[in-house]
Amino acid sequence: MMETNDIVGLFLSLSELRMIFPRLKAQELSMGSGERELLRKIELMLYDHLSIEEMENLLPKPGERSFEK
């Protein structure tokens, strides 16, 4: 079995994070704790680089979250 380490990684651009964030955010309540922690890291990165208005536009609209369907 191949040993894993923290050196290997995946780097996403801000535009790529903006693309996947809304889908992940909509699934937040069905995520495990590790998945939610990753989502939190993405969210913090976006908040650091986007305006509040830009962030609001990325959030799922009421009724679009997975638990409401």
Side-chain angles (χ1 to χ4, degrees), residues 19-32:
M19 194 181 323
I20 65 168
F21 176 75
R23 288 184 179 266
L24 295 175
K25 189 67 175 177
Q27 300 297 319
E28 184 175 13
L29 291 181
S30 64
M31 291 179 172

Side-chain angles (χ1 to χ4, degrees), residues 2-4 8 10-11 13-15 20 25 27 30 35 40-41 46 50 67:
M2 182 183 259
E3 195 173 316
T4 60
V8 176
L10 174 67
F11 299 93
S13 69
L14 191 56
S15 62
I20 65 168
K25 189 67 175 177
Q27 300 297 319
S30 64
E35 294 167 325
R40 187 185 72 80
K41 288 179 182 181
L46 290 172
L50 301 178
F67 67 89

